[in-house]
Amino acid sequence: MSLTATVTARRTSATIKVRQNISQMSPGEIDRFRAALTTMLGRRDDRGFQFFAGWHGVPFGICQHHVPLFLPWHRGYLYHFELALQDIDPAVTLPWWDWLTEPGVPAAYGDETVGGKPNVLFSMPIEPFGVAPDPDWPTQTSRDPGSSEPGQPAPIPPPLNGFEPEPDTNCEAWVTTAPSYTELTRRLEALHDNVHGWCGGTMRDISWAAYDPLFWAHHAMVDRLWRIWQHTHPGAGPPDALIDACMTFAKPPGMSPRSLSKVQDLGYEYAGFVSVAGGTD
Amino acid sequence: MQVWSTSAQLALPIDVERVSRLDLEFIDVRRDRGSFTVLVFLNADELAQNAGRDHERFAAGYTVFAQSGCWGASGHCDWERGPASAFDRRPEHHLRPFNLTLDVTRAVKRLGNPDALKLTIHAAALDDPAATDVFRFRQVAALAYQ
């Protein structure tokens, strides 16, 4: 007896894709991103927007904050989400929001309508995957940027580079010159938490934040700053005890910080242009 | 808004000029009642309630991204529940309190060479400005590094 199997080659691409600043993307590129996200929103299975948004808070609740796995867990989260988008449109990548230099929410996310239709980047329905909704749960994402009571402690508004965490040091330099991974995490998570708080509304609550499309651009910026820091601190990463920890995601593969350390191994980059010339040898 | 001061001053029997870094570490900060912003002031008597980051005694600020209430059934957010057994390898509850480190080197050096620190904390819940039980933690420590 013999068994015969036919193996179909998987469609693959070895091209490294570049994540772009949302405010520097062309209208056509933003339209393609919106179209992919709209298709993803329409998928009611484990390829859909509601499924992935639910990993962070309701209903899966597996995100990592104020622990050394904060950065690698969210890098893995974005990796899964971006692949789901690229299943729809292989040319699409996750854009990032430069809250260090851009004042406020980028226009692509802040405009309520586009071409007379609701802007999918402005607001999304909240329909947690696989669970019966509680009457008290929000049903639509919202934002309330910069809202706070006058005279009370409040988050710092973007652009965050307008704030000096140390004398003559803006936030970008503060993060990218962090002397260790532990210190990088502390500084970067401080900026991250501040932006979540400043956005208000859905973004302010861990349980619901990932349902806001802006969440993904915010975290791409966090991931980008980590990538820049890695370039000047090669080999530096989470503590040895955690470098091979298997982190939980709601869909395979589970990944370790080590497996997520090089963005090129994950198929993307933030450096959109690299020019190399030969040396003296 | 919550206004809170240390009941006992944090002793600082060191030469601050020789310190390269001085941190305040807040131990077991709770994160189960929503996001909030905290401002820390040092040795600031008679501080106005609307004092901000531009105040001369301001030392550090932080916005904590947190979860607003429990969305699950009874017991879902009981972070104090420990492992089920010695074989329980599941990660700790995601609401387990965390330690928050704030670098206050610059602010302490501005005070000259203080022999103690009195902390005054202003904290506001982002969803409930009237709340007065916002920043909850078990202990605070000052750590000086040569």
Side-chain angles (χ1 to χ4, degrees):
Chain A
M1 189 177 80
S2 64
L3 292 173
T4 304
T6 302
V7 178
T8 305
R10 296 180 63 191
R11 182 189 64 181
T12 59
S13 167
T15 305
I16 302 293
K17 295 171 181 171
V18 177
R19 292 181 179 172
Q20 299 186 76
N21 181 337
I22 186 72
S23 294
Q24 293 181 13
M25 289 167 63
S26 69
E29 289 170 329
I30 296 175
D31 283 348
R32 285 187 76 160
F33 175 56
R34 285 198 180 103
L37 203 57
T38 301
T39 301
M40 193 180 180
L41 181 63
R43 292 183 164 174
R44 314 302 294 180
D45 53 24
D46 65 354
R47 302 168 301 158
F49 180 84
Q50 300 293 335
F51 172 69
F52 286 99
W55 294 17
H56 197 264
V58 182
F60 295 101
I62 52 177
C63 60
Q64 299 279 337
H65 295 96
H66 293 287
V67 292
L69 297 179
F70 165 69
L71 290 173
W73 188 86
H74 284 87
R75 176 169 285 177
Y77 191 25
L78 266 58
Y79 168 77
H80 276 283
F81 187 85
E82 189 173 59
L83 284 179
L85 281 171
Q86 291 172 349
D87 282 342
I88 297 163
D89 184 344
V92 164
T93 56
L94 278 177
W96 43 276
W97 165 26
D98 183 4
W99 31 252
L100 286 174
T101 62
E102 183 159 356
V105 173
Y109 290 84
D111 295 337
E112 196 164 347
T113 58
V114 177
K117 295 180 179 176
N119 177 9
V120 72
L121 299 180
F122 177 76
S123 180
M124 279 278 204
I126 299 177
E127 298 163 354
F129 182 84
V131 293
D134 186 285
D136 293 335
W137 291 357
T139 56
Q140 192 77 25
T141 65
S142 64
R143 297 179 204 128
D144 193 8
S147 66
S148 62
E149 287 290 305
Q152 290 210 0
I156 301 162
L160 295 188
N161 268 347
F163 175 74
E164 293 188 354
E166 293 176 4
D168 303 321
T169 303
N170 64 27
C171 285
E172 181 167 7
W174 186 58
V175 165
T176 55
T177 61
S180 67
Y181 177 83
T182 302
E183 185 63 15
L184 169 78
T185 301
R186 189 184 77 81
R187 296 180 184 185
L188 199 38
E189 193 158 15
L191 301 185
H192 156 270
D193 280 23
N194 181 86
V195 171
H196 270 290
W198 178 83
C199 287
T202 309
M203 278 282 278
R204 195 175 270 178
D205 190 336
I206 283 181
S207 299
W208 306 107
Y211 288 89
D212 187 333
L214 188 60
F215 170 95
W216 304 92
H218 170 38
H219 269 278
M221 178 62 174
V222 172
D223 189 60
R224 172 179 172 268
L225 289 171
W226 180 24
R227 164 72 186 99
I228 291 170
W229 183 85
Q230 285 182 303
H231 190 68
T232 51
H233 298 77
D240 288 348
L242 293 174
I243 193 71
D244 291 314
C246 183
M247 295 186 292
T248 302
F249 298 98
K251 197 173 191 176
M255 289 179 280
S256 67
R258 187 192 301 277
S259 70
L260 288 161
S261 61
K262 294 179 182 170
V263 295
Q264 299 92 338
D265 291 348
L266 305 172
Y268 70 90
E269 248 294 9
Y270 294 96
F273 179 78
V274 178
S275 182
V276 178
T280 57
D281 295 335
Chain B
M1 185 177 91
Q2 175 187 8
V3 178
W4 182 88
S5 294
T6 39
S7 55
Q9 295 198 347
L10 292 165
L12 216 55
I14 55 174
D15 181 359
V16 169
E17 288 304 314
R18 298 179 61 187
V19 167
S20 66
R21 175 169 170 151
L22 207 150
D23 288 342
L24 291 177
E25 188 170 30
F26 295 89
I27 311 294
D28 288 347
V29 176
R30 297 278 295 271
R31 48 175 156 172
D32 54 356
R33 286 193 206 157
S35 299
F36 59 92
T37 298
V38 55
L39 302 183
V40 179
F41 302 87
L42 298 179
N43 297 0
D45 294 325
E46 300 176 14
L47 189 66
Q49 288 226 353
N50 63 355
R53 289 182 168 87
D54 55 351
H55 191 278
E56 61 177 356
R57 295 299 171 91
F58 169 74
Y62 202 101
T63 294
V64 174
F65 177 44
Q67 177 174 316
S68 297
C70 183
W71 52 268
S74 176
H76 179 263
C77 290
D78 290 349
W79 56 264
E80 290 168 296
R81 189 183 61 238
S85 76
F87 303 99
D88 188 346
R89 300 185 187 186
R90 294 175 295 180
E92 293 179 326
H93 198 288
H94 66 280
L95 290 180
R96 183 181 169 81
F98 69 102
N99 297 343
L100 177 63
T101 301
L102 300 180
D103 181 349
V104 294
T105 314
R106 182 173 28 154
V108 172
K109 292 199 171 187
R110 252 197 330 257
L111 294 174
N113 202 13
D115 53 13
L117 295 178
K118 177 191 176 189
L119 312 187
T120 301
I121 290 170
H122 291 180
L126 300 183
D127 288 334
D128 182 10
T132 57
D133 189 16
V134 179
F135 187 40
R136 295 161 296 147
F137 56 94
R138 184 170 57 79
Q139 193 176 59
V140 59
L143 293 85
Y145 299 89
Q146 273 194 332

